[in-house]
Amino acid sequence: MNYDHIFSSALSEIRDEGRYRVFMDIERKNGDFPNATWHTENGKKDIVVWCSNDYLGMGQHPDVIKAMKDAIDKVGTGSGGTRNISGTHHYHVMLEAELADLHGKDAGLVFTSGYISNEASISTIARLLPGCIIYSDELNHASMINGVLGGKCEKRIFRHNSVEHLEELLAADDADTPKIILFESVYSMDGDFAPIEEFCDLADKYNSMTYMDEVHAVGMYGPRGGGVAEKLGLMDRIDIIEGTLGKAFGLMGGYITASKDIVDCVRSFSPGFIFTTSLSPTLVAGALASVRHLKNSNIEREIHQERAATLKARMRKADLPVMPSDSHIVPVLVGDPVVCKQASDILLNDYGIYVQPINYPTVPRGTERLRFAPNPLHTDDMMDHLIDALSKVWQKLEIDKYSSAA
């Protein structure tokens, strides 16, 4: 058995398809976001980051930096263990209470990432419900899909954001069977919103629980940054709200908020929570400062929404194929994986613009795209430079013939 050949063949296959992932070696500049330094084999190069999930620049906010420095001086760095073996610091307790309050829930639970919070929580909750059936939107994140698989229960996949199809599936199953409806509030690749109220109405009608992923919305929407559900006044209708600390809050980690019993069950039964070293209290202190700041400050959200709307308008004016998006996500269709990577490379090498190509399996084949994430610190001059560069790259690679056929 030639093991090396198996692995090299697998890598060659994704390279040939144009979807081999390259990890960019970048160094963010404190106080100068979204500027960064790109470390290459030929030296360093200054770039502007256009694809960061640090949507509001909170990863470099003075309050957050100070909180982390103060925490290091006070308690040191690492957590020292799992949550049940010396790894629950007072910072964890305060952050979980702050997150529960943010979403109007009884309790919160912090994980090491948003991926783990979804996978661990969904699988645990599903296993605890006898005969559970999960109804999952077809575009749900991989972490939610793996949570469903880990739950080892029956599943139904409904067409993206289709209230009608979801009801068909719910109506076809036994009314007394435990059910969970899984969906996201904002879908990160297309930038569209879920019909949250309609899904909640179906949950009431068919006696189902609701589990909503708000990772691309927490900090971003609602008067206190509670997400789309807060903006729409629907938080009380969602049983479990999951979020992240790694996007708008600018740090690292994930969480769920729900009733005390649901949170305690995940805390008590989930291997993904029980056997993992807890987040460093330094990180948690920064997240706590970020959540508290965004509960009381709307200026970051207001500027961010203006920047996203402005970029979309400028791209449309330049006849660039911006995909429909009602949120802060700005996807630009390419339609071919190889050309998408070529466009990203040219933008980076020739123009100092870093935007990651998004290819299959993250998005369906034929819908490959460049996904831009403008933030409050992207200036008009940066946008002018971006639009000019994109227009030249589109012409050079004749991308219209790919995107128009997609």
Side-chain angles (χ1 to χ4, degrees), residues 231-370:
K231 179 182 177 181
L232 300 177
L234 298 171
M235 288 194 298
D236 62 318
R237 301 190 65 189
I238 309 293
D239 293 297
I240 304 110
I241 294 178
E242 185 266 351
T244 184
L245 305 170
K247 293 182 170 59
F249 293 128
L251 274 299
M252 174 187 175
Y255 65 88
I256 61 166
T257 61
S259 70
K260 288 182 179 179
D261 283 349
I262 290 175
V263 168
D264 201 8
C265 277
V266 175
R267 185 190 71 87
S268 300
F269 290 96
S270 170
F273 177 82
I274 296 169
F275 299 107
T276 299
T277 299
S278 65
L279 281 176
S280 161
T282 304
L283 284 168
V284 178
L288 182 62
S290 183
V291 172
R292 286 174 173 171
H293 175 85
L294 290 175
K295 276 185 175 181
N296 296 291
S297 175
N298 270 311
I299 188 64
E300 291 86 1
R301 286 185 280 274
E302 292 170 357
I303 296 174
H304 181 264
Q305 288 295 319
E306 179 275 322
R307 292 285 78 189
T310 297
L311 182 59
K312 291 177 189 178
R314 290 192 179 193
M315 285 180 167
R316 292 189 185 101
K317 186 176 180 181
D319 292 326
L320 292 164
V322 184
M323 302 172 72
S325 166
D326 295 324
S327 70
H328 57 281
I329 306 297
V330 186
V332 180
L333 181 64
V334 175
D336 180 89
V338 175
V339 176
C340 195
K341 179 65 167 62
Q342 289 175 340
S344 174
D345 289 345
I346 295 172
L347 287 167
L348 183 62
N349 289 298
D350 295 355
Y351 299 97
I353 291 169
Y354 175 34
V355 57
Q356 193 71 15
I358 307 295
N359 294 331
Y360 177 84
T362 306
V363 295
R365 297 182 193 274
T367 68
E368 293 81 7
R369 67 200 64 177
L370 299 176

Side-chain angles (χ1 to χ4, degrees), residues 96-262:
E96 287 171 344
E98 203 75 43
L99 292 167
D101 172 78
L102 177 66
H103 295 291
K105 301 299 182 188
D106 294 333
L109 194 65
V110 172
F111 296 78
T112 52
S113 75
Y115 189 103
I116 296 298
S117 60
N118 266 334
E119 184 178 53
S121 300
I122 293 168
S123 61
T124 301
I125 293 166
R127 287 196 302 268
L128 289 172
L129 294 172
C132 177
I133 302 174
I134 287 182
Y135 304 80
S136 180
D137 188 290
E138 65 179 341
L139 294 188
N140 278 342
H141 190 264
S143 59
M144 301 176 79
I145 294 170
N146 281 338
V148 174
L149 295 175
K152 297 181 179 179
C153 61
E154 288 193 54
K155 64 180 183 296
R156 313 279 187 258
I157 310 301
F158 60 91
R159 291 187 293 273
H160 178 52
N161 279 349
S162 175
V163 177
E164 295 77 14
H165 189 212
L166 174 57
E167 180 160 25
E168 287 178 17
L169 296 174
L170 287 164
D173 287 318
D174 190 318
D176 295 326
T177 300
K179 303 174 180 66
I180 311 173
I181 302 171
L182 301 183
F183 56 97
E184 301 179 36
S185 62
V186 179
Y187 285 83
S188 63
M189 291 301 119
D190 293 329
D192 55 339
F193 293 100
I196 300 173
E197 185 170 15
E198 289 86 347
F199 285 167
C200 290
D201 290 341
L202 289 181
D204 291 344
K205 182 177 180 180
Y206 293 96
N207 193 27
S208 173
M209 295 181 66
T210 48
Y211 182 110
M212 185 170 71
D213 176 313
E214 283 258 44
V215 297
H216 290 276
V218 290
M220 310 284 291
Y221 298 91
R224 299 197 309 160
V228 180
E230 183 192 28
K231 179 182 177 181
L232 300 177
L234 298 171
M235 288 194 298
D236 62 318
R237 301 190 65 189
I238 309 293
D239 293 297
I240 304 110
I241 294 178
E242 185 266 351
T244 184
L245 305 170
K247 293 182 170 59
F249 293 128
L251 274 299
M252 174 187 175
Y255 65 88
I256 61 166
T257 61
S259 70
K260 288 182 179 179
D261 283 349
I262 290 175

Side-chain angles (χ1 to χ4, degrees), residues 85-100:
I85 306 178
S86 83
T88 294
H89 293 255
H90 189 52
Y91 289 112
H92 294 93
V93 176
M94 289 191 292
L95 178 58
E96 287 171 344
E98 203 75 43
L99 292 167

